[in-house]
């Protein structure tokens, strides 16, 4: 008989943060999903005529809205406009997350020893057998790119296995969970959550949505999960119980419990973001700039006067602090 695996402190913390007794899990009203849907419909209805004014779109085309687009347009609009015009290309930093999620999915039902590199290789093989753009990219990348993808993805999967307890099928784990809500048959809100654990019990919330991150913490990361929580609440009626951004490099959480106020504030954010997108894409106003740490790697930083001034001021402050 296989010995029970002992959990390290990081894994024990994950269990403590994500689990909760049934009596501590909140209940939500049966009409909540309809109220959220109606709030989105009311907020977006005045924008329906603007949909057919978008540059490069045909009359009747739907508008697809993702967490990334919302985050970009509610940040620096000029950067958003630039990136919208750039064609999407698969690259190692983008693909590694998708491959890592597939490897984590395989680990749930893996009957052999959990070796991260083996899981990564199997995940790459599975995704490479598809008929989508990622499969095409995997089939044509150079050996250097393949080696880089294997190495960086292995690092993510290893950190996940170190920090998370083994995901039991009884916990209903799901990776790359697809979520989609359509408003007025024209606005399509969609996304994929990194990891979902648990399920609702009637009107009692039980699901936890997890977003896996690397690098520094940011309060803006919470907005991604709030967007997913809104979509899931409209989809099944009972919202997730908790939202957890997990930083693999640090072994640390950002935790937020889901409330009705949080969901309705997310509706307002979505409506605001979509209005900005439509105003910009229809040429009704020029894009504004917003400076911050992201200016250092912004693709338009060399032609952005606001960004240049911000970086110059930031450099002066840094140098001054060193003396």
């Amino acid at each position: 008989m296989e010995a029970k695996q002992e959990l390290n402190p990081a894994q024990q913390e994950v269990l403590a943060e994500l689990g909760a007794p049934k009596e501590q899990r909140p209940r939500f009203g049966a009409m909540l999903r309809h109220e959220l849907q109606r709030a989105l419909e009311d907020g977006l209805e005045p924008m329906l005529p603007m949909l057919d004014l978008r540059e490069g779109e045909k009359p009747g085309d739907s508008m697809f809205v993702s967490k990334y687009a919302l985050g970009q347009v509610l940040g620096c609009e000029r950067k958003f406009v630039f990136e919208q015009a750039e064609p999407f290309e698969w690259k190692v930093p983008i693909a590694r997350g998708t491959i890592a999620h597939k490897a984590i999915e395989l680990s749930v039902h893996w009957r052999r020893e959990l070796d991260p590199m083996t899981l990564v290789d199997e995940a790459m093989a599975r995704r490479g057998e598809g008929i989508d753009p990622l499969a095409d990219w995997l089939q044509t990348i150079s050996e250097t790119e393949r080696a880089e993808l294997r190495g960086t993805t292995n690092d993510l999967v290893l950190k996940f296995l170190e920090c998370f307890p083994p995901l039991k099928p009884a916990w209903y784990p799901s990776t790359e969970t697809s979520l989609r809500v359509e408003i007025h048959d024209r606005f399509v809100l969609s996304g994929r959550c990194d990891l979902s654990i648990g399920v609702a019990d009637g009107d009692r919330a039980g699901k936890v949505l997890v977003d896996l991150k690397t690098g520094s913490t940011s309060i803006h990361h919470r907005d991604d999960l709030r967007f997913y929580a809104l979509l899931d609440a409209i989809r099944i009626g009972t919202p997730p119980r908790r939202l957890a951004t997990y930083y693999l490099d640090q072994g640390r959480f950002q935790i937020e419990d889901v409330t009705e106020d949080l969901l309705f504030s997310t509706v307002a954010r979505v409506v605001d973001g979509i209005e900005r997108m439509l105003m910009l894409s229809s040429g009704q106003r020029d894009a504004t700039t917003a400076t911050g740490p992201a200016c250092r790697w912004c693709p338009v930083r060399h032609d952005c006067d606001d960004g240049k001034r911000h970086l110059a001021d930031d450099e002066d402050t840094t140098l001054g602090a060193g003396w």
Side-chain angles (χ1 to χ4, degrees):
M1 183 176 178
E2 185 177 350
K4 183 178 180 181
Q5 176 183 338
E6 292 190 14
L7 302 182
N8 63 41
Q11 293 171 323
Q12 293 174 18
E13 181 182 359
V14 168
L15 277 181
E17 291 287 0
L18 300 190
K22 183 175 181 179
E23 61 272 12
Q24 294 181 11
R25 301 177 182 181
R27 293 180 179 272
F28 291 90
M31 294 302 296
L32 178 60
R33 65 184 305 204
H34 303 292
E35 294 167 356
L36 293 169
Q37 175 101 13
R38 176 60 60 85
L40 280 171
E41 291 172 348
D42 291 346
L44 295 176
E45 185 174 8
M47 304 177 204
L48 284 169
M50 298 171 62
L51 286 171
D52 294 334
L53 301 178
R54 292 173 294 161
E55 183 178 352
E57 301 290 343
K58 299 177 183 178
D61 282 353
S62 296
M63 179 179 183
F64 291 85
V65 181
S66 67
K67 68 165 188 180
Y68 182 77
L70 285 171
Q72 290 293 91
V73 78
L74 292 170
C76 180
E77 293 180 354
R78 185 173 179 186
K79 182 174 182 286
F80 165 78
V81 171
F82 176 85
E83 293 192 344
Q84 287 294 106
E86 290 292 298
F88 176 80
E89 294 182 3
W90 281 102
K91 298 178 181 178
V92 169
I94 300 173
R96 70 171 187 161
T98 301
I99 300 300
H101 297 152
K102 183 63 177 179
I104 292 169
E105 177 187 336
L106 292 174
S107 74
V108 176
H109 304 286
W110 201 252
R111 300 177 65 179
R112 290 173 282 166
E113 182 180 354
L114 289 176
D115 169 40
M117 187 58 76
T118 300
L119 290 170
V120 169
D121 287 339
E122 290 290 340
M124 290 178 63
R126 295 293 183 273
R127 293 309 304 253
E129 293 170 353
I131 54 174
D132 54 25
L134 175 56
D136 294 339
W137 181 77
L138 286 171
Q139 293 166 12
T140 58
I141 58 175
S142 67
E143 283 304 311
T144 301
E145 289 174 310
R146 184 173 297 277
E148 182 183 0
L149 179 60
R150 290 182 75 236
T152 56
T153 307
N154 177 70
D155 180 62
L156 288 179
V157 176
L158 174 60
K159 287 176 177 174
F160 176 85
L161 295 177
E162 286 179 326
C163 295
F164 271 66
L167 299 178
K168 301 178 181 179
W171 297 349
Y172 298 95
S174 177
T175 61
E176 292 268 299
T177 301
S178 298
L179 300 167
R180 180 183 176 109
V181 169
E182 297 186 15
I183 305 295
H184 295 304
D185 296 323
R186 296 292 303 278
F187 299 96
V188 181
L189 317 181
S190 63
R192 291 179 179 272
C193 183
D194 288 350
L195 177 63
S196 169
I197 299 175
V199 292
D201 181 9
D203 63 355
R204 191 184 295 275
K207 183 183 296 183
V208 178
L209 300 183
V210 181
D211 205 14
L212 302 173
K213 300 288 188 183
T214 57
S216 302
T217 59
S218 170
I219 59 173
H220 300 297
H221 291 159
R222 294 183 178 183
D223 291 324
D224 296 344
L225 283 173
R226 291 172 181 174
F227 179 65
Y228 293 149
L230 173 63
L231 301 188
D232 204 40
I234 294 174
R235 185 179 69 90
I236 64 173
T238 303
R241 176 178 63 85
R242 175 165 283 191
L243 309 177
T245 304
Y246 193 81
Y247 296 90
L248 291 168
D249 293 342
Q250 305 176 46
R252 291 288 185 270
F253 272 115
Q254 274 190 353
I255 295 290
E256 186 170 46
D257 290 330
V258 177
T259 64
E260 290 192 16
D261 287 343
L262 180 145
L263 294 170
F264 281 104
S265 69
T266 302
V267 169
R269 178 177 180 270
V270 170
V271 171
D272 182 24
I274 291 176
E275 182 177 23
R276 294 191 189 199
M277 292 182 206
L278 288 172
M279 294 288 285
L280 294 169
S281 61
S282 61
Q284 297 188 46
R285 69 171 176 82
D286 295 330
T288 61
T289 57
T291 59
C295 289
R296 292 187 177 277
W297 54 86
C298 177
V300 298
R301 64 187 181 278
H302 299 299
D303 298 317
C304 177
D305 292 337
D306 290 338
K308 289 178 181 178
R309 282 193 293 270
H310 170 76
L311 292 175
D313 292 343
D314 188 54
E315 184 176 353
D316 290 343
T317 301
T318 303
L319 289 174
W323 290 92

